[in-house]
Amino acid sequence: MKSAPKAVHTTDSRLSAKTNVCDHCVSAERVRAARAAPLRMLTAAALNPYAWNGLYTWGDVEEFKHYLPRLLELLILEELDDLHAPSLMLRLGVRWQTWMQDQAGSRHWHRRRMWRQTLSSYPRDVDGAWI
């Protein structure tokens, strides 16, 4: 399967060093792990804490936009626990239509990739409730 186009991983890739993080919910070590590598190189283990806490107790909408392409890619590849899917889709669903048009290509790319991944691994048990 092809990896994401570079533009998908660079859309809104600016992160502020002043990210709001609840120190009770998210350790400084976990924040550092999520920023330790370029976005396309971050592992599911590094992003798992953000997947649980993003927008709730860690970061803002801009940071969510930054991590979202990689989070979706990890979900599609089944490297990130699918328990994250409903929550991520909820957080995305209430915001995506208001985002700038330049991000529409990224969202479209992920939908196509998810569909191709599903078709290429058929037949298997697919829980499409979050699609």
Side-chain angles (χ1 to χ4, degrees):
M1 172 144 311
K2 289 181 173 181
S3 64
K6 187 174 183 175
V8 168
H9 287 289
T10 57
T11 301
D12 286 318
S13 62
R14 302 168 303 277
L15 285 181
S16 169
K18 299 178 184 178
T19 298
N20 294 324
V21 178
C22 172
D23 332 6
H24 178 264
C25 302
V26 183
S27 70
E29 179 182 326
R30 289 182 171 185
V31 174
R32 279 192 300 276
R35 294 182 171 183
L39 185 60
R40 67 179 47 230
M41 303 303 291
L42 290 173
T43 64
L47 287 177
N48 189 54
Y50 184 81
W52 284 120
N53 296 291
L55 288 178
Y56 299 133
T57 58
W58 179 346
D60 57 13
V61 172
E62 293 307 311
E63 190 160 11
F64 184 69
K65 288 180 190 181
H66 170 76
Y67 287 119
L68 186 61
R70 184 62 176 154
L71 290 168
L72 292 174
E73 186 173 33
L74 292 169
L75 275 172
I76 292 165
L77 297 173
E78 299 180 353
E79 293 177 24
L80 190 64
D81 190 332
D82 64 357
L83 292 173
H84 294 298
S87 176
L88 286 172
M89 295 303 109
L90 177 65
R91 286 177 273 171
L92 172 62
V94 298
R95 292 171 179 83
W96 75 272
Q97 291 181 330
T98 62
W99 291 351
M100 296 172 49
Q101 189 61 32
D102 67 334
Q103 295 160 332
S106 172
R107 292 188 308 271
H108 182 67
W109 182 88
H110 280 91
R111 284 191 304 268
R112 283 193 332 257
R113 178 154 185 198
M114 181 176 62
W115 185 241
R116 282 194 306 262
Q117 178 71 15
T118 299
L119 292 176
S120 70
S121 55
Y122 183 83
R124 68 179 179 129
D125 292 332
V126 176
D127 178 9
W130 65 273
I131 297 176

